Amino acid sequence: EDCKHYFLPERPECRWLGFLPHREYRQRLRSASINLAWIDPYLSVQSYTGKLLEYLAAGRPVLMLGDPQCAAVELLQRSGLGLTVEVGDVEAILAALEKIARGDWHPQPDDSVIAPFSAPQQTAVLAAIFNEAILSLRRSSPQP
């Protein structure tokens, strides 16, 4: 779907870039003054998204629109990178943007929360799960 119609022509600093190669997307996340994340209100309250993990890895401040009871919101707040506002609360979204524009919000990244969600750490956890599953299969398989 073409989203260009969501951006006002009188706001050239807000423009639709289309879909970007993943490398360029990650570079833009790392260089942004603030990133905007929207967590679907129908997403399980116990879930994280891969997108959120990429935002954490970028280490830049995040304004998240989401359900305050969502696990992703809780993780973002613990990371020290996030300011969260409920998706449909337009007044709170405007207040958050004004707070950011005034410089009244100072993110405090907490590497002890962020580091376990890095791609290398998550890959190591997944590899350990696979290795344990393979070892378990070998132990439970009848020997010839």
Side-chain angles (χ1 to χ4, degrees):
E1 177 183 333
D2 185 357
C3 296
K4 289 179 187 176
H5 63 278
Y6 292 116
F7 296 90
L8 302 173
E10 62 270 15
R11 298 295 306 267
E13 70 277 15
C14 298
R15 65 188 190 282
W16 174 248
L17 299 175
F19 293 96
L20 302 173
H22 197 251
R23 183 179 305 234
E24 183 179 346
Y25 155 76
R26 285 193 337 242
Q27 187 278 327
R28 286 180 179 271
L29 281 180
R30 288 189 303 271
S31 65
S33 55
I34 188 163
N35 289 300
L36 175 66
W38 176 73
I39 298 294
D40 190 318
Y42 300 105
L43 183 70
S44 166
V45 295
Q46 298 303 317
S47 298
Y48 301 134
T49 65
K51 190 73 62 191
L52 174 61
L53 302 183
E54 289 182 338
Y55 278 46
L56 290 177
R60 304 299 304 147
V62 178
L63 173 59
M64 179 180 279
L65 309 180
D67 179 346
Q69 304 306 311
C70 180
V73 167
E74 188 270 334
L75 172 61
L76 186 63
Q77 289 173 338
R78 281 191 304 117
S79 77
L81 289 173
L83 183 60
T84 306
V85 181
E86 210 164 332
V87 173
D89 190 343
V90 175
E91 287 183 25
I93 293 169
L94 290 172
L97 291 170
E98 288 172 355
K99 182 177 185 175
I100 292 164
R102 285 191 312 266
D104 292 343
W105 176 52
H106 305 285
Q108 304 284 325
D110 185 341
D111 289 334
S112 70
V113 173
I114 298 167
F117 293 97
S118 70
Q121 288 291 338
Q122 290 292 295
T123 302
V125 169
L126 184 59
I129 292 168
F130 285 152
N131 286 334
E132 182 56 39
I134 291 167
L135 289 172
S136 178
L137 275 172
R138 287 183 182 160
R139 287 191 295 262
S140 64
S141 296
Q143 299 298 321

